[in-house]
Structures are given as C-alpha cells and as structure tokens.
Amino acid sequence: MPSETSTSTTILTVAITTVVASSLSLVLSRYIPQSSSSSSSGSHPSVANREEVRRPSLPLSLNPPNIPDDTKDTKAMEIFKQVKEYRRKIEVLLYMQEAVVNVMDFTRVLGIIVDCAYSIVPADRISVMVLSDDRKSMTVFVSKDVKSLNISATKGVAGYVATTGLKVNIKDAYDDPRFDSSVDDEFGFKTTSLVCVPILAGGGVVGVIQACNKTNGFDEEDERGLEALSLSAGSAIRKAQLYASAIRSNRKSNAILNVVRCRTSGASIPELINVVTRSTYNLLLAERVSVYLVDRIKGEIWICVSKDPSIAGLTLPIGRGISGQVAKDGKTINVKDCYTDDRFDSSCDKKTGFVTRSMLCMAVPGFDDESKPVAVIQAINKLDAKNFDDEDEEALNAFCNEVKMAMRGNFLEAALLKLESDQKRQTNIDGTSYLREFGAMFGRNSGLELDEPNSPTSWGEGKKNRISRKLSVPWSAHSSVGEEQEYDTFAFNPFSKTQEELCAVVFSFFEDFNLCDRLNVDDDILQNLIMAIFETYNEVPFHNFYHAFSVCHITYLMLRHCDCARFLTSLDIFSALIAALSHDADHPGVSNSYLIAMQNPLAILHNDDAVLERHHASTTTKVISEPENNVFEAMSPEDHKHARKIILAAIIGTDMSRHMEHVTALHERADRRNTTPFERSSLQDRIALVSNIVHCADLSAQTLPPSVSEEFEARLMEEFSQQSAKEVADGCELSSFMKGLEDKKKRCELQLNFISAIALPLWRGMAKCFPKCSERVARAEEILKNYEVILNENNSNA
C-alpha cells in the first residue's frame, strides 16, 4: 500500500505533467497542422452556438491516468481540480483569441468577450463598456439585459476604473461612495458585489469589463481571470473599432458621392430627394427617413417625395414638432427618447401605428443665411444601436452641406413644386404648368442657331402704332453739363416719360460710356437701331417697351455704379446694352407653355426649346442685319463675331429654365478664394458676366421703388389674366398659377414665392460678387416683408 505522502506527490506530479503537456500541445497545435485523425473540434459550452468560429485543437485529455481509486488525499485532489480549472480558463482565453481573429463586426466581438467572461467568472451580470472617442461617455454595448445604454465616463465604479485605469473589487456596492445606483433603479436590478477591470489597448484604457453579484463576493482569482481576458479583449475591440470607423467612412463617402453624381447629372428635385432619402438610410442605418422642404412663405415644411404615398405632400407648421423646430432655427436636435421630449409631436405615430423611439434631425443650411434652412432631414430609430451618436451627427452634417450645394441648383423647381402641391390639395388639379412655364422639367441645349425663315409669328393683332424715325424730342437726354442726370439712379420712374423720350434716354446710356467714339459707331445708325428695336415691341400689358427700357436701364446702372464694368471691354458694354434693350423683342404677351400647348409654328421651329428667347434673339439679329441699323459695319469681323456671341448668349440666358444656373454660378464665383469672381482676360467670364447682368435686370422689378414695382406687378398680373382667358377660349390646359389672380391673396402668394425663391437668390449672388448691388437686395427684402404683412392681415380677416 503506498504511503499517503507518496500518493499525493504522484497525483500532483501527474496533474502538473498533464497541464504542461497539454499546454505545450496547445502551443504546438497553433503552429503545426493536425491531421484529421489526431485532432478534434468543438465549441466551448458557453459559446456553443458560435459555429462560425473555429476552436483550437485540443488533442490531450485532462483525465489523470491510473490514479488509485482508494486515494483519499483530498488536498492533492483539490490541487488537481485547481490546476484543471486553470487549464479550462486558459482554454477559454485561447479560444477567445482564436475566435476574434477574423471577426470584424463590433457587436459580435463584444458578444464573444462577454460569453468568455461568463465562462471565467461566475456572475449574475457581466457588461462590457466601451469609451467614446471624446472619453466623456461609455456605451454598454453588451450585457444580458442591457444593450446600447450610454453612461457617463466619470460616474460610478466603471467611470472610476475608466478614468484611473485601476481595478476595483467591492463586496457591498451600496456601501461604496463611487457606486452609481441609477442603472439599478432603471432596470430593477440589485447590485451587491462587483469587480471591474480596465480594458487596455495601445497604451490606454478603451473600456471596462464589470461583473456583478457572486455569492460571497469576487476573489483574486476572479480579478486575475478578468484581467487576463481584458488583455485580449483590448486588441480585439480596438481592431473592431477601426473596422467600424472605416465602414462608417465608406458609407459617408458613398452617400456624399451619390448626391454629387445627382447634382452633376442635372437631376430634378424629386430625383434628388429620392437619392438623399436612400443615401440617408444607408448613412445612418435608420428605420425611417423623411426629407422636408421648407416653405417660408407659408411658414411650413412639407414632404416632396416619400416611400409612403400617403404622406407625400404632408405639411407641418414651422416650429411644430422636432422637425419644425429645426426648420425654425437651423439647430440640430438629437433625441434619445422622443416620448420624453416636449417638442415631439406624436400625432403621426398615432395615425400610422409607428413607434418613434430615437430621432436625429438636422437642417440643410440656407444658401445665404444658414439659420434659415432650405430643408430638414429626419432620421428615426437607429437599427444597430439604441440612439444616434456624435459620429452620426458628424456624418449627417457633412452630408447636409453637400445636399445644400445640390439643392442650390434646384431650388426654383422646389418652390414651383410646392405651389403645385398646394394647388393639388386645394383644387385637386394635377397640373404642371408652373414648372413647364419656367422649363424646370425640360433639358435645354446651349446651341445658338437662331435662323427663323419667314418669321412664322401668329400674332398680328396687338401691334402698336409705329412712330416716325424722326423723334419729336432731342436724341440726347442729358441735362446741363455738370448736373446729375435724371435717369442716372435706381429711383428713376420710366412711366413718367413717353416712349419716345425713353428712346432718347437709351441713346444717352451709350453716350455716357462714350461708346460710339470708342468703337467707331455712327450716331445716326445707333439711333436707327434703337428705333428699330423699339418698333419690334407689341402693345401687351407687361412685355412691352417699358419693360425693355427698364431692363436696359438697370443694366446701365449696374455697369455704371456697381463696379461691373471694370471686368468688361467697351465692346462688351455696347453688346450688353443692345442685348438688354432687345431681350424681349416681338414678345406676344403669352408664355412658352402656351405656344407649346397651341403647337405654334415658333414652338415647332424651335422644338419646344426656349421658344420665345430664341425668337427674341433671332428678331434682334435680323434687325441689326438691316444696313441702316448695322452698328457693326465699321468693326472688324472678329469684333462683330464677338459682339454677336455676347448678345445672343445674354438673350438666351434670360430663359427661366437657366435661372438656377445663373444663381449657382454667381454664388460659386463669389465663394472663390484669392481671386476675383470674374477675369477680364477671359472671354467666357465676360460673356457670363453680361448674361448675369441682363438676367438680373430682367428680374429687377421688385428691387425698384414702390411706384415702379407696383406698376410692373399690376401689368404682369394683367398679362397673366389675359393668357388665362386665351387658354379657356382655346380649350388648352390652364396655367394653374395664372388662375384666380383677381384674388388679392393669390397675387400676394405668387409675388412672395417669386421674390423669395427666384429674384432674391439671384440678386444675393450678384451682391456677393458685387457688394454695391446690396441695396437692391435690401429693397427686395423690404418688399417681401410688405407682402408678408399683407398676407398675414388677409389670413387674419379670413
């Protein structure tokens, strides 16, 4: 019978030998391939369901060989059990290292860490908490009953460990002043004992592992087990963080690239909103995304396009709900629990049965004033986490800035779509006349072939009586030498003069720049040309010679007083004044859409493309080609070609389908650094500048004194009403925005939309390039406020 001492020694030796042999075998198995007959695979009991992760091969058994059954040495057996437990823990640690090698998903990595922690430390709850990038908060990513809970990185025991990097083992949590019981209170859990160790990576703390509640408390073996686990966990977490960051960056880049492609392809506003919506889903991984456009005229936000047809066209007052509040002040709102936020409007949830939990709402900044957004992007319920975080906000902010650039080129269409949406709700009319009027839905080519054989116009009636080429007033409108000229100010009222007198004023514009002398143009020929252009205009309410003069007058003032002329040559200025005067030559008093609907010969000739603008340009070319009007006769062929190119480009540039091209280009030129918005040495820049000047002058009525702007408004409303009557008589589709203009409220809304969505963005762009134009912007804003007051009074009295 062997002695008790020798038996203990034998058992201990066997145990130690077995552990050493097994450990060596484990190490060798990581570097020497095992044959299928000599290796086995399986899963650790606590992670048995993770079949995709390969376990290390364990060829040796821990069962001690040939230990006598009658051995009663309990101390030796206890030692053997301890060694066996150490070996099991080593196996778990090795398994975790092997398991996370090829796992990049952050949640799966943390799940493996927690499963392994439960195998090492017997506890009721184990949590992994990861520090945020700013180290101000930690997120409880994985636990048995808590996921994606954000807690402070400076509060509680976990905060203490994260801040100091020291482990903590507490027998009674509620007796320790560092313990924060708020999480217990929220989830109804009672923490008694706990152990918390830091997770280290790259020389710093990246998070903590915390185990709660073990009978008789946690001991040093538990501490050592979690510390050993944290060493491998740190590198795995850091790798997963880098991978997640790369994935987020890729989603952000793809989202922005989608919008850039949309912007450069000339997509319509519905197409753009569709792209923005889809990209936001992918960017933020949200359950629901809505894109609201802002209508400041009516004080509401609305959904232009939606996956759910029932909410397309839905409107909300600015200031109501979280989205409405963002539209009001432009400030981002990130809500973790919407039903605890007083700003949240739950009416939509009640109507649809949807449950909103978290929400991130951000503004697409305004073009000129970032505090006045043009759109609001709303993301609801993050799919891969409980809340939207700082990184989501950062990504969405960059995305919104790109959306702003894309919408700048489509904002006119957005405003017109809103008008159509309002009319559909009010009258159930499915019209697109407003859009078609400005060519927003048509692609335009840039060709300038303007030949019109036989001039197939169909408007013979309405022509004005011709006047003699010999004016009854002096051709020079100049006052005494040294005196300020009456017309040399934006306050000049053209309606105080006869049309003959205005012709003389136009000639004075050329005199003030001394253009005839500089360009060797005969005065008589220039006067003939002015009269010939005058005679092309018809007696229609708005698009008549008074409007033509006004556009030429504003062009002259911008050249003379707003520093625009310093980028142009004398020939450029000469061409600009001719283009401005003739830009609506032979206008019939009806729109492009009417001519297209009636299949007018001009619409057929020009393939429904900028019909009137091409006709104006062609008419101007023919007038100039008459020998008695040819102001370019004494110029070189190169100068003649140059002038013709500028005139045609400026007239075609008044086509409203190109309006946002002007707006976008002006703002982009103004934003250039270390350079002027236009280069005098560049012919293309000079052509662009003349086109922008004439287009601004064409949309300048609301920048003029009240007596002038109100007269032009009345004339335009009359012309619209006359066209509406013609449409009824001819049985063609009605231009819905021209209907009901006898209603003061309708006229007011039309002017508000025109000024805010069309005129002001253009003039603000010009003012950014030429600050002396700012007075025109201020005047338009003043008129806009007056219309808002009138509309509010009208609504109050309704």
Side-chain angles (χ1 to χ4, degrees), residues 317-344:
I318 290 178
R320 176 179 169 182
I322 293 174
S323 298
Q325 185 61 40
V326 173
K328 181 179 179 180
D329 57 26
K331 296 179 181 178
T332 298
I333 296 178
N334 190 346
V335 181
K336 297 176 181 178
D337 185 353
C338 289
Y339 278 86
T340 62
D341 194 298
D342 293 337
R343 297 166 296 187
F344 177 62

PDB file of all heavy atoms in Angstrom, residues 317-344:
ATOM      1  N   PRO A 317     -46.461  72.970 -39.662  1.00  0.00           N
ATOM      2  CA  PRO A 317     -46.056  74.362 -39.422  1.00  0.00           C
ATOM      3  C   PRO A 317     -44.615  74.440 -38.940  1.00  0.00           C
ATOM      4  O   PRO A 317     -44.163  73.591 -38.164  1.00  0.00           O
ATOM      5  CB  PRO A 317     -47.030  74.827 -38.332  1.00  0.00           C
ATOM      6  CG  PRO A 317     -48.170  73.852 -38.376  1.00  0.00           C
ATOM      7  CD  PRO A 317     -47.584  72.553 -38.801  1.00  0.00           C
ATOM      8  N   ILE A 318     -43.887  75.429 -39.405  1.00  0.00           N
ATOM      9  CA  ILE A 318     -42.530  75.668 -38.900  1.00  0.00           C
ATOM     10  C   ILE A 318     -42.627  75.975 -37.404  1.00  0.00           C
ATOM     11  O   ILE A 318     -43.429  76.804 -36.973  1.00  0.00           O
ATOM     12  CB  ILE A 318     -41.869  76.842 -39.643  1.00  0.00           C
ATOM     13  CG1 ILE A 318     -41.568  76.441 -41.087  1.00  0.00           C
ATOM     14  CG2 ILE A 318     -40.578  77.277 -38.950  1.00  0.00           C
ATOM     15  CD1 ILE A 318     -40.960  77.545 -41.927  1.00  0.00           C
ATOM     16  N   GLY A 319     -41.821  75.279 -36.614  1.00  0.00           N
ATOM     17  CA  GLY A 319     -41.856  75.456 -35.160  1.00  0.00           C
ATOM     18  C   GLY A 319     -42.609  74.364 -34.443  1.00  0.00           C
ATOM     19  O   GLY A 319     -42.468  74.216 -33.228  1.00  0.00           O
ATOM     20  N   ARG A 320     -43.396  73.563 -35.175  1.00  0.00           N
ATOM     21  CA  ARG A 320     -44.155  72.479 -34.540  1.00  0.00           C
ATOM     22  C   ARG A 320     -43.406  71.169 -34.675  1.00  0.00           C
ATOM     23  O   ARG A 320     -42.932  70.814 -35.747  1.00  0.00           O
ATOM     24  CB  ARG A 320     -45.530  72.354 -35.183  1.00  0.00           C
ATOM     25  CG  ARG A 320     -46.354  71.191 -34.636  1.00  0.00           C
ATOM     26  CD  ARG A 320     -47.705  71.142 -35.308  1.00  0.00           C
ATOM     27  NE  ARG A 320     -48.406  69.910 -35.005  1.00  0.00           N
ATOM     28  CZ  ARG A 320     -49.593  69.589 -35.500  1.00  0.00           C
ATOM     29  NH1 ARG A 320     -50.202  70.424 -36.325  1.00  0.00           N
ATOM     30  NH2 ARG A 320     -50.156  68.444 -35.181  1.00  0.00           N
ATOM     31  N   GLY A 321     -43.309  70.433 -33.581  1.00  0.00           N
ATOM     32  CA  GLY A 321     -42.590  69.175 -33.601  1.00  0.00           C
ATOM     33  C   GLY A 321     -41.087  69.397 -33.689  1.00  0.00           C
ATOM     34  O   GLY A 321     -40.597  70.522 -33.791  1.00  0.00           O
ATOM     35  N   ILE A 322     -40.359  68.310 -33.635  1.00  0.00           N
ATOM     36  CA  ILE A 322     -38.895  68.405 -33.654  1.00  0.00           C
ATOM     37  C   ILE A 322     -38.405  68.894 -35.016  1.00  0.00           C
ATOM     38  O   ILE A 322     -37.542  69.776 -35.102  1.00  0.00           O
ATOM     39  CB  ILE A 322     -38.278  67.039 -33.295  1.00  0.00           C
ATOM     40  CG1 ILE A 322     -38.595  66.700 -31.829  1.00  0.00           C
ATOM     41  CG2 ILE A 322     -36.773  67.040 -33.529  1.00  0.00           C
ATOM     42  CD1 ILE A 322     -38.165  65.331 -31.383  1.00  0.00           C
ATOM     43  N   SER A 323     -38.959  68.362 -36.107  1.00  0.00           N
ATOM     44  CA  SER A 323     -38.542  68.789 -37.441  1.00  0.00           C
ATOM     45  C   SER A 323     -38.883  70.254 -37.672  1.00  0.00           C
ATOM     46  O   SER A 323     -38.098  71.000 -38.263  1.00  0.00           O
ATOM     47  CB  SER A 323     -39.217  67.926 -38.507  1.00  0.00           C
ATOM     48  OG  SER A 323     -38.829  66.582 -38.372  1.00  0.00           O
ATOM     49  N   GLY A 324     -40.060  70.663 -37.220  1.00  0.00           N
ATOM     50  CA  GLY A 324     -40.452  72.058 -37.373  1.00  0.00           C
ATOM     51  C   GLY A 324     -39.558  73.002 -36.596  1.00  0.00           C
ATOM     52  O   GLY A 324     -39.278  74.121 -37.044  1.00  0.00           O
ATOM     53  N   GLN A 325     -39.084  72.557 -35.424  1.00  0.00           N
ATOM     54  CA  GLN A 325     -38.185  73.383 -34.628  1.00  0.00           C
ATOM     55  C   GLN A 325     -36.834  73.537 -35.315  1.00  0.00           C
ATOM     56  O   GLN A 325     -36.240  74.624 -35.324  1.00  0.00           O
ATOM     57  CB  GLN A 325     -37.982  72.762 -33.242  1.00  0.00           C
ATOM     58  CG  GLN A 325     -37.149  73.589 -32.280  1.00  0.00           C
ATOM     59  CD  GLN A 325     -37.763  74.942 -31.979  1.00  0.00           C
ATOM     60  OE1 GLN A 325     -38.971  75.046 -31.814  1.00  0.00           O
ATOM     61  NE2 GLN A 325     -36.944  75.974 -31.933  1.00  0.00           N
ATOM     62  N   VAL A 326     -36.342  72.459 -35.918  1.00  0.00           N
ATOM     63  CA  VAL A 326     -35.074  72.534 -36.663  1.00  0.00           C
ATOM     64  C   VAL A 326     -35.225  73.475 -37.854  1.00  0.00           C
ATOM     65  O   VAL A 326     -34.320  74.254 -38.164  1.00  0.00           O
ATOM     66  CB  VAL A 326     -34.637  71.130 -37.120  1.00  0.00           C
ATOM     67  CG1 VAL A 326     -33.422  71.214 -38.042  1.00  0.00           C
ATOM     68  CG2 VAL A 326     -34.316  70.264 -35.916  1.00  0.00           C
ATOM     69  N   ALA A 327     -36.372  73.419 -38.529  1.00  0.00           N
ATOM     70  CA  ALA A 327     -36.616  74.321 -39.659  1.00  0.00           C
ATOM     71  C   ALA A 327     -36.668  75.772 -39.198  1.00  0.00           C
ATOM     72  O   ALA A 327     -36.320  76.688 -39.942  1.00  0.00           O
ATOM     73  CB  ALA A 327     -37.933  73.950 -40.348  1.00  0.00           C
ATOM     74  N   LYS A 328     -37.071  75.990 -37.965  1.00  0.00           N
ATOM     75  CA  LYS A 328     -37.204  77.350 -37.439  1.00  0.00           C
ATOM     76  C   LYS A 328     -35.856  77.992 -37.151  1.00  0.00           C
ATOM     77  O   LYS A 328     -35.602  79.139 -37.530  1.00  0.00           O
ATOM     78  CB  LYS A 328     -38.050  77.335 -36.168  1.00  0.00           C
ATOM     79  CG  LYS A 328     -38.285  78.700 -35.546  1.00  0.00           C
ATOM     80  CD  LYS A 328     -39.159  78.580 -34.301  1.00  0.00           C
ATOM     81  CE  LYS A 328     -39.384  79.959 -33.665  1.00  0.00           C
ATOM     82  NZ  LYS A 328     -40.237  79.848 -32.452  1.00  0.00           N
ATOM     83  N   ASP A 329     -34.970  77.264 -36.450  1.00  0.00           N
ATOM     84  CA  ASP A 329     -33.708  77.899 -36.030  1.00  0.00           C
ATOM     85  C   ASP A 329     -32.457  77.267 -36.633  1.00  0.00           C
ATOM     86  O   ASP A 329     -31.350  77.760 -36.430  1.00  0.00           O
ATOM     87  CB  ASP A 329     -33.596  77.900 -34.506  1.00  0.00           C
ATOM     88  CG  ASP A 329     -33.696  76.511 -33.888  1.00  0.00           C
ATOM     89  OD1 ASP A 329     -33.364  75.528 -34.573  1.00  0.00           O
ATOM     90  OD2 ASP A 329     -34.111  76.409 -32.720  1.00  0.00           O
ATOM     91  N   GLY A 330     -32.610  76.157 -37.379  1.00  0.00           N
ATOM     92  CA  GLY A 330     -31.460  75.540 -38.031  1.00  0.00           C
ATOM     93  C   GLY A 330     -30.548  74.751 -37.122  1.00  0.00           C
ATOM     94  O   GLY A 330     -29.492  74.296 -37.549  1.00  0.00           O
ATOM     95  N   LYS A 331     -30.955  74.536 -35.848  1.00  0.00           N
ATOM     96  CA  LYS A 331     -30.096  73.830 -34.893  1.00  0.00           C
ATOM     97  C   LYS A 331     -30.434  72.343 -34.865  1.00  0.00           C
ATOM     98  O   LYS A 331     -31.599  71.963 -34.849  1.00  0.00           O
ATOM     99  CB  LYS A 331     -30.264  74.427 -33.500  1.00  0.00           C
ATOM    100  CG  LYS A 331     -29.800  75.884 -33.397  1.00  0.00           C
ATOM    101  CD  LYS A 331     -30.002  76.432 -31.997  1.00  0.00           C
ATOM    102  CE  LYS A 331     -29.548  77.892 -31.910  1.00  0.00           C
ATOM    103  NZ  LYS A 331     -29.782  78.465 -30.567  1.00  0.00           N
ATOM    104  N   THR A 332     -29.391  71.516 -34.830  1.00  0.00           N
ATOM    105  CA  THR A 332     -29.555  70.066 -34.825  1.00  0.00           C
ATOM    106  C   THR A 332     -30.198  69.598 -33.525  1.00  0.00           C
ATOM    107  O   THR A 332     -29.875  70.106 -32.443  1.00  0.00           O
ATOM    108  CB  THR A 332     -28.198  69.378 -35.007  1.00  0.00           C
ATOM    109  OG1 THR A 332     -27.652  69.752 -36.281  1.00  0.00           O
ATOM    110  CG2 THR A 332     -28.327  67.868 -34.948  1.00  0.00           C
ATOM    111  N   ILE A 333     -31.089  68.624 -33.621  1.00  0.00           N
ATOM    112  CA  ILE A 333     -31.716  68.023 -32.445  1.00  0.00           C
ATOM    113  C   ILE A 333     -31.511  66.513 -32.506  1.00  0.00           C
ATOM    114  O   ILE A 333     -31.870  65.871 -33.493  1.00  0.00           O
ATOM    115  CB  ILE A 333     -33.221  68.355 -32.368  1.00  0.00           C
ATOM    116  CG1 ILE A 333     -33.436  69.862 -32.199  1.00  0.00           C
ATOM    117  CG2 ILE A 333     -33.874  67.600 -31.220  1.00  0.00           C
ATOM    118  CD1 ILE A 333     -34.895  70.276 -32.153  1.00  0.00           C
ATOM    119  N   ASN A 334     -30.922  65.952 -31.447  1.00  0.00           N
ATOM    120  CA  ASN A 334     -30.695  64.512 -31.323  1.00  0.00           C
ATOM    121  C   ASN A 334     -31.384  64.050 -30.045  1.00  0.00           C
ATOM    122  O   ASN A 334     -30.951  64.389 -28.951  1.00  0.00           O
ATOM    123  CB  ASN A 334     -29.195  64.219 -31.287  1.00  0.00           C
ATOM    124  CG  ASN A 334     -28.892  62.731 -31.401  1.00  0.00           C
ATOM    125  OD1 ASN A 334     -29.774  61.889 -31.260  1.00  0.00           O
ATOM    126  ND2 ASN A 334     -27.637  62.389 -31.645  1.00  0.00           N
ATOM    127  N   VAL A 335     -32.470  63.298 -30.206  1.00  0.00           N
ATOM    128  CA  VAL A 335     -33.291  62.903 -29.060  1.00  0.00           C
ATOM    129  C   VAL A 335     -33.172  61.399 -28.838  1.00  0.00           C
ATOM    130  O   VAL A 335     -33.352  60.613 -29.769  1.00  0.00           O
ATOM    131  CB  VAL A 335     -34.772  63.282 -29.285  1.00  0.00           C
ATOM    132  CG1 VAL A 335     -35.609  62.898 -28.074  1.00  0.00           C
ATOM    133  CG2 VAL A 335     -34.903  64.763 -29.568  1.00  0.00           C
ATOM    134  N   LYS A 336     -32.886  61.003 -27.596  1.00  0.00           N
ATOM    135  CA  LYS A 336     -32.737  59.586 -27.274  1.00  0.00           C
ATOM    136  C   LYS A 336     -34.073  58.905 -27.003  1.00  0.00           C
ATOM    137  O   LYS A 336     -34.244  57.728 -27.298  1.00  0.00           O
ATOM    138  CB  LYS A 336     -31.813  59.431 -26.062  1.00  0.00           C
ATOM    139  CG  LYS A 336     -30.402  59.942 -26.312  1.00  0.00           C
ATOM    140  CD  LYS A 336     -29.557  59.869 -25.065  1.00  0.00           C
ATOM    141  CE  LYS A 336     -28.144  60.423 -25.331  1.00  0.00           C
ATOM    142  NZ  LYS A 336     -27.309  60.411 -24.109  1.00  0.00           N
ATOM    143  N   ASP A 337     -35.001  59.652 -26.425  1.00  0.00           N
ATOM    144  CA  ASP A 337     -36.331  59.114 -26.148  1.00  0.00           C
ATOM    145  C   ASP A 337     -37.352  60.185 -26.494  1.00  0.00           C
ATOM    146  O   ASP A 337     -37.582  61.123 -25.735  1.00  0.00           O
ATOM    147  CB  ASP A 337     -36.445  58.716 -24.674  1.00  0.00           C
ATOM    148  CG  ASP A 337     -37.780  58.043 -24.365  1.00  0.00           C
ATOM    149  OD1 ASP A 337     -38.647  58.014 -25.250  1.00  0.00           O
ATOM    150  OD2 ASP A 337     -37.949  57.551 -23.232  1.00  0.00           O
ATOM    151  N   CYS A 338     -37.959  60.054 -27.666  1.00  0.00           N
ATOM    152  CA  CYS A 338     -38.831  61.122 -28.173  1.00  0.00           C
ATOM    153  C   CYS A 338     -40.037  61.380 -27.289  1.00  0.00           C
ATOM    154  O   CYS A 338     -40.493  62.514 -27.151  1.00  0.00           O
ATOM    155  CB  CYS A 338     -39.292  60.775 -29.588  1.00  0.00           C
ATOM    156  SG  CYS A 338     -37.975  60.896 -30.814  1.00  0.00           S
ATOM    157  N   TYR A 339     -40.566  60.327 -26.668  1.00  0.00           N
ATOM    158  CA  TYR A 339     -41.783  60.498 -25.880  1.00  0.00           C
ATOM    159  C   TYR A 339     -41.541  61.193 -24.541  1.00  0.00           C
ATOM    160  O   TYR A 339     -42.491  61.510 -23.823  1.00  0.00           O
ATOM    161  CB  TYR A 339     -42.476  59.152 -25.675  1.00  0.00           C
ATOM    162  CG  TYR A 339     -43.312  58.755 -26.873  1.00  0.00           C
ATOM    163  CD1 TYR A 339     -42.739  58.074 -27.944  1.00  0.00           C
ATOM    164  CD2 TYR A 339     -44.654  59.089 -26.960  1.00  0.00           C
ATOM    165  CE1 TYR A 339     -43.496  57.731 -29.064  1.00  0.00           C
ATOM    166  CE2 TYR A 339     -45.418  58.754 -28.067  1.00  0.00           C
ATOM    167  CZ  TYR A 339     -44.834  58.075 -29.114  1.00  0.00           C
ATOM    168  OH  TYR A 339     -45.574  57.750 -30.221  1.00  0.00           O
ATOM    169  N   THR A 340     -40.287  61.441 -24.217  1.00  0.00           N
ATOM    170  CA  THR A 340     -39.986  62.236 -23.023  1.00  0.00           C
ATOM    171  C   THR A 340     -39.592  63.663 -23.400  1.00  0.00           C
ATOM    172  O   THR A 340     -39.249  64.448 -22.513  1.00  0.00           O
ATOM    173  CB  THR A 340     -38.842  61.594 -22.214  1.00  0.00           C
ATOM    174  OG1 THR A 340     -37.645  61.568 -23.018  1.00  0.00           O
ATOM    175  CG2 THR A 340     -39.210  60.180 -21.793  1.00  0.00           C
ATOM    176  N   ASP A 341     -39.629  63.980 -24.694  1.00  0.00           N
ATOM    177  CA  ASP A 341     -39.251  65.317 -25.167  1.00  0.00           C
ATOM    178  C   ASP A 341     -40.517  66.110 -25.486  1.00  0.00           C
ATOM    179  O   ASP A 341     -41.346  65.678 -26.290  1.00  0.00           O
ATOM    180  CB  ASP A 341     -38.363  65.200 -26.416  1.00  0.00           C
ATOM    181  CG  ASP A 341     -37.661  66.499 -26.748  1.00  0.00           C
ATOM    182  OD1 ASP A 341     -38.367  67.487 -27.022  1.00  0.00           O
ATOM    183  OD2 ASP A 341     -36.419  66.524 -26.756  1.00  0.00           O
ATOM    184  N   ASP A 342     -40.657  67.271 -24.887  1.00  0.00           N
ATOM    185  CA  ASP A 342     -41.861  68.087 -25.059  1.00  0.00           C
ATOM    186  C   ASP A 342     -42.042  68.563 -26.500  1.00  0.00           C
ATOM    187  O   ASP A 342     -43.156  68.889 -26.916  1.00  0.00           O
ATOM    188  CB  ASP A 342     -41.813  69.308 -24.129  1.00  0.00           C
ATOM    189  CG  ASP A 342     -41.893  68.912 -22.667  1.00  0.00           C
ATOM    190  OD1 ASP A 342     -42.414  67.807 -22.389  1.00  0.00           O
ATOM    191  OD2 ASP A 342     -41.425  69.693 -21.812  1.00  0.00           O
ATOM    192  N   ARG A 343     -40.955  68.628 -27.269  1.00  0.00           N
ATOM    193  CA  ARG A 343     -41.041  69.110 -28.645  1.00  0.00           C
ATOM    194  C   ARG A 343     -41.612  68.071 -29.604  1.00  0.00           C
ATOM    195  O   ARG A 343     -42.018  68.398 -30.714  1.00  0.00           O
ATOM    196  CB  ARG A 343     -39.658  69.546 -29.131  1.00  0.00           C
ATOM    197  CG  ARG A 343     -39.061  70.712 -28.366  1.00  0.00           C
ATOM    198  CD  ARG A 343     -37.578  70.873 -28.664  1.00  0.00           C
ATOM    199  NE  ARG A 343     -36.811  69.727 -28.210  1.00  0.00           N
ATOM    200  CZ  ARG A 343     -35.486  69.661 -28.216  1.00  0.00           C
ATOM    201  NH1 ARG A 343     -34.786  70.691 -28.680  1.00  0.00           N
ATOM    202  NH2 ARG A 343     -34.846  68.588 -27.802  1.00  0.00           N
ATOM    203  N   PHE A 344     -41.643  66.824 -29.171  1.00  0.00           N
ATOM    204  CA  PHE A 344     -42.065  65.743 -30.063  1.00  0.00           C
ATOM    205  C   PHE A 344     -43.567  65.783 -30.286  1.00  0.00           C
ATOM    206  O   PHE A 344     -44.359  65.907 -29.351  1.00  0.00           O
ATOM    207  CB  PHE A 344     -41.651  64.394 -29.480  1.00  0.00           C
ATOM    208  CG  PHE A 344     -42.107  63.211 -30.300  1.00  0.00           C
ATOM    209  CD1 PHE A 344     -41.665  63.045 -31.601  1.00  0.00           C
ATOM    210  CD2 PHE A 344     -42.980  62.269 -29.759  1.00  0.00           C
ATOM    211  CE1 PHE A 344     -42.083  61.957 -32.361  1.00  0.00           C
ATOM    212  CE2 PHE A 344     -43.399  61.187 -30.503  1.00  0.00           C
ATOM    213  CZ  PHE A 344     -42.944  61.025 -31.810  1.00  0.00           C
TER     214      PHE A 344
END
